[in-house]
Amino acid sequence: RVMSSGEKPVLAILGGAKISTKLSLINSLSNSMDKVILGGGIANTLIAAKGYDVGKSLIEESMLSEAEKLLDNPKIIIP
């Protein structure tokens, strides 16, 4: 309903522990939304991909290269 209303801007907020299970959803949302804010373990993985130390926070090491690609998308926002 939100996507078909025609009202802009449209923002999606998505969080979770694993980026691997949500990668296709993130890509889909970034195609249909004006901005996508990512939180939780997903955001931690993106922060680690930027080269920042996240300490003992949950990240998905095997997805760091995919996270780097997401960082190139101007619609993706991490807090």
Side-chain angles (χ1 to χ4, degrees), residues 36-50:
V36 179
I37 297 176
L38 300 176
I42 296 170
N44 293 341
T45 302
L46 291 169
I47 292 166
K50 281 183 141 182

Side-chain angles (χ1 to χ4, degrees), residues 14-78:
L14 180 67
K18 296 175 75 174
I19 195 171
S20 59
T21 60
K22 296 169 188 71
L23 188 58
S24 61
L25 176 60
I26 294 167
N27 287 323
S28 176
L29 286 171
S30 72
N31 288 330
S32 59
M33 299 286 159
D34 295 309
K35 297 288 180 184
V36 179
I37 297 176
L38 300 176
I42 296 170
N44 293 341
T45 302
L46 291 169
I47 292 166
K50 281 183 141 182
Y52 292 103
D53 181 19
V54 293
K56 294 182 180 182
S57 295
L58 177 67
I59 67 166
E60 205 170 349
E61 293 275 346
S62 64
M63 296 300 292
L64 289 175
S65 62
E66 291 296 323
E68 287 178 19
K69 293 175 192 173
L70 283 177
L71 291 170
D72 291 335
N73 186 334
K75 291 184 175 185
I76 301 294
I77 299 171
I78 52 175

